[in-house]
């Protein structure tokens, strides 16, 4: 009886952070998808070599440095030169900027997978280059990129746990503060694992279904 | 701008050795965890392809569970949680085990994809010319799987390297934790975390480039 009531108590405590976890996930997902899409379009269809080099450099920097370091630079680093971000906005900005580089690659892979004839045919029947990209290429590329975007969303949801390190009040943050007050360490962190799994499961289902050959 | 660069010039002598040592810890942590996850991942991938349904299900469940749980939760569970039921690791061991457990699932999926890409005829031909199952696996199938999987495995290593930064939160004194200590000591967090970022980049970038070179042309 007491075991179950402790569990419910812990779960209630953690649920207080679930809202922030979901909000940070959604906000950074939105930021990263829009940024990534923009970067992918410019990188794939833009003509300026300079811009290509800049985008490539941006992607390499974002992809080869841990999220935790990016967050510390944004939260502690910028604060020291007088540019103070709240922990939640630093979290969203950090995860979103990193995600921009990741989703840029996913969208580019989507565009690259389209047969060349699609663009040529659209241009031949009189679509402007802009309308070709918007009406013909983007919808098809989106479909190709969707499964990997789903995987990325699961990854992002899990990665929000590290923003507890810059004191954003999400699930892990509540877990850590509960540990210091109740010492139910094993139970609390197991509950955290279950809670994240429960949040990730709907997303995982989606992404697994749209990718053939991953079930079973 | 010169003002900003000045601290690097002033403290280079003090910071470099400390950061280099921390880079060593990060590298050691990542390499040991990756080696362990390769072994564990190969086992999982083989179990995933066996005839026994129950075993296949168990592995699928493990992979799904690890995919849905943040690494940080796994690390906290191993380092802070397990002592509660009488199992104690030091921080470095806990980090190696946690990273290996989490990344074994990814490695297993990659290797499984590699295994499935080898046509069944290869094994059949090996059997037909008298190879034992063990020989046909180690001499015929595995080398081809390695060739297919090496580029994505290197990408996985880079993400493991980056995720090894989470070990700082269970007190492993690798790059990020060293950076935190230095930031409080010198009170120059921006400079120090940027330097930490550069350190990671210097380790990770060569591997990223390598993975691109090794990827089959179609995937580039």
């Amino acid at each position: 009886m007491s075991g179950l009531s402790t569990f419910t108590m812990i779960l209630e405590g953690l649920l207080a952070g679930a809202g922030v976890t979901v909000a940070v996930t959604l906000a950074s997902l939105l930021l990263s998808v829009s940024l990534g899409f923009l970067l992918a379009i410019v990188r794939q269809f833009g003509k300026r070599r300079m811009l290509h080099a800049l985008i490539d450099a941006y992607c390499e920097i974002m992809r080869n440095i841990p999220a935790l370091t990016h967050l510390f630079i944004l939260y502690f680093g910028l604060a020291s030169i007088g540019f103070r971000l709240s922990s939640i906005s630093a979290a969203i900005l950090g995860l979103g900027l990193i995600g921009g580089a990741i989703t840029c690659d996913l969208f580019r892979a989507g565009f690259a997978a389209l047969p060349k004839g699609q663009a040529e045919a659209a241009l031949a029947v009189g679509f402007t280059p802009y309308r070709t990209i918007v009406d013909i290429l983007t919808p098809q590329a989106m479909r190709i990129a969707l499964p990997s975007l789903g995987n990325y969303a699961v990854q992002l949801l899990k990665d929000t746990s590290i923003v507890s390190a810059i004191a954003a009040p999400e699930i892990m943050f509540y877990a850590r503060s509960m540990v210091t007050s109740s010492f139910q360490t094993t139970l609390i962190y197991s509950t955290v694992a279950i809670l994240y799994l429960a949040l990730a499961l709907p997303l995982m289902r989606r992404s697994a279904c749209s990718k053939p050959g991953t079930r079973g | 701008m010169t003002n900003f660069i000045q601290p690097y010039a002033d403290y280079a002598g003090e910071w470099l050795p400390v950061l280099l040592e921390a880079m060593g810890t990060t590298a050691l942590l990542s390499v040991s965890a990756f080696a362990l996850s390769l072994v564990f991942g190969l086992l999982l991938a083989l179990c995933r392809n066996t005839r026994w349904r129950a075993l296949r299900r168990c592995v699928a469940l493990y992979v799904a569970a690890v995919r849905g749980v943040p690494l940080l939760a796994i690390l906290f569970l191993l380092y802070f949680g397990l002592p509660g039921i009488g199992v104690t690791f030091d921080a470095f061991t806990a980090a190696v085990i946690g990273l290996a457990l989490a990344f074994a699932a990814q490695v297993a999926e990659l290797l499984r994809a590699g295994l499935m890409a080898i046509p069944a005829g290869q094994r059949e031909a090996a059997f037909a010319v008298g190879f034992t199952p063990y020989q046909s696996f180690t001499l015929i199938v595995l080398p081809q799987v390695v060739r297919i999987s090496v580029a994505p495995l290197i990408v996985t290593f880079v993400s493991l390297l980056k995720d090894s930064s989470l070990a700082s939160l269970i007190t492993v004194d690798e790059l990020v934790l060293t950076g935190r200590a230095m930031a409080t000591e010198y009170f120059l967090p921006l400079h120090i975390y940027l330097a930490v970022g550069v350190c990671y980049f210097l380790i990770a970038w060569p591997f990223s480039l390598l993975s691109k070179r090794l990827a089959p042309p179609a995937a580039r």
Side-chain angles (χ1 to χ4, degrees):
Chain A
M1 137 72 209
S2 78
L4 191 65
S5 68
T6 343
F7 178 73
T8 358
M9 208 185 70
I10 291 171
L11 197 59
E12 264 168 31
L14 293 178
L15 280 175
V20 174
T21 292
V22 172
V24 169
T25 308
L26 288 180
S28 42
L29 187 64
L30 192 70
L31 178 59
S32 57
V33 168
S34 5
L35 180 64
F37 184 67
L38 205 73
L39 291 176
I41 294 273
V42 175
R43 182 65 183 77
Q44 200 72 12
F45 302 108
K47 291 278 179 278
R48 288 173 198 266
R49 301 279 295 272
M50 187 68 192
L51 267 180
H52 286 191
L54 273 179
I55 292 174
D56 286 350
Y58 174 80
C59 288
E60 290 298 331
I61 289 172
M62 286 296 155
R63 271 187 317 195
N64 288 306
I65 294 175
L68 198 57
T69 312
H70 283 299
L71 290 178
F72 281 0
I73 291 173
L74 285 175
Y75 186 65
F76 298 117
L78 290 187
S80 73
I81 54 165
F83 197 76
R84 203 169 285 277
L85 289 167
S86 78
S87 60
I88 291 185
S89 36
I92 293 172
L93 193 64
L95 293 174
L97 290 178
I98 297 169
I102 298 169
T103 52
C104 169
D105 275 0
L106 303 182
F107 284 124
R108 279 189 65 193
F111 282 116
L114 299 178
K116 234 181 169 176
Q118 294 283 336
E120 288 167 356
L123 293 172
V125 296
F127 278 71
T128 61
Y130 172 76
R131 296 257 58 119
T132 304
I133 294 172
V134 173
D135 295 335
I136 308 291
L137 300 179
T138 300
Q140 301 186 69
M142 282 290 182
R143 279 203 66 166
I144 299 172
L146 210 56
S148 19
L149 280 175
N151 284 333
Y152 164 69
V154 174
Q155 190 66 46
L156 182 65
L157 174 75
K158 294 196 291 172
D159 280 353
T160 57
S161 64
I162 65 172
V163 307
S164 61
I166 56 168
E170 41 70 82
I171 295 173
M172 200 52 102
F173 179 82
Y174 279 96
R176 292 169 84 174
S177 65
M178 265 156 67
V179 163
T180 50
S181 62
S182 77
F183 302 108
Q184 297 271 10
T185 325
T186 319
L187 192 56
I188 291 175
Y189 287 131
S190 313
T191 317
V192 167
I194 294 169
L195 186 55
Y196 273 105
L197 194 57
L199 287 173
L201 228 45
L203 286 170
M204 284 163 70
R205 235 202 169 155
R206 227 32 45 120
S207 57
C209 283
S210 41
K211 199 163 78 182
T214 50
R215 270 181 297 172
Chain B
M1 196 60 196
T2 27
N3 273 345
F4 189 77
I5 294 180
Q6 197 56 42
Y8 287 115
D10 292 346
Y11 294 116
E14 291 168 51
W15 288 358
L16 265 180
V18 183
L19 282 175
L20 278 178
E21 201 193 326
M23 265 169 99
T25 312
T26 289
L28 183 66
L29 174 63
S30 316
V31 170
S32 354
F34 189 63
L36 200 57
S37 71
L38 277 182
V39 175
F40 196 35
L42 183 60
L43 276 177
L44 287 176
L46 289 177
C47 291
R48 192 79 194 265
N49 276 358
T50 56
R51 258 165 289 160
W52 297 294
R53 203 188 174 131
L55 194 57
R56 285 207 309 259
R57 279 288 153 86
C58 285
V59 174
L61 201 68
Y62 174 80
V63 171
V66 168
R67 269 193 68 198
V69 175
L71 177 63
L72 195 55
I74 298 176
L75 290 179
F76 281 177
L77 205 54
L78 282 173
Y79 185 64
F80 300 117
L82 286 189
I85 54 169
V87 186
T88 318
F89 298 114
D90 67 288
F92 189 83
T93 319
V96 169
I97 295 176
L99 283 165
L101 286 178
F103 279 87
Q106 284 191 32
V107 170
E109 288 295 276
L110 286 178
L111 292 179
R112 193 169 78 103
L115 282 170
M116 291 200 314
I118 311 295
Q122 300 269 344
R123 280 176 71 96
E124 286 160 12
F127 288 147
V129 295
F131 282 59
T132 64
Y134 174 76
Q135 282 176 328
S136 82
F137 179 71
T138 50
L139 298 174
I140 310 290
V141 176
L142 197 58
Q144 300 184 70
V145 173
V146 168
R147 180 62 195 92
I148 298 172
S149 321
V150 67
L153 280 177
I154 293 174
V155 174
T156 310
F157 175 72
V158 172
S159 23
L160 189 150
L161 175 79
K162 289 190 292 171
D163 280 355
S164 76
S165 63
L166 299 191
S168 67
L169 300 172
I170 58 166
T171 72
V172 178
D173 52 358
E174 41 68 79
L175 270 170
V176 170
L177 191 65
T178 308
R180 290 200 83 156
M182 284 162 73
T184 44
E185 190 184 337
Y186 292 92
F187 219 70
L188 288 165
L190 186 59
H191 292 81
I192 286 164
Y193 290 133
L194 282 176
V196 167
V198 170
C199 289
Y200 274 106
F201 190 82
L202 288 178
I203 312 179
W205 200 41
F207 287 103
S208 296
L209 292 179
L210 185 65
S211 76
K212 273 186 198 143
R213 288 216 77 172
L214 290 174
R220 255 181 233 165

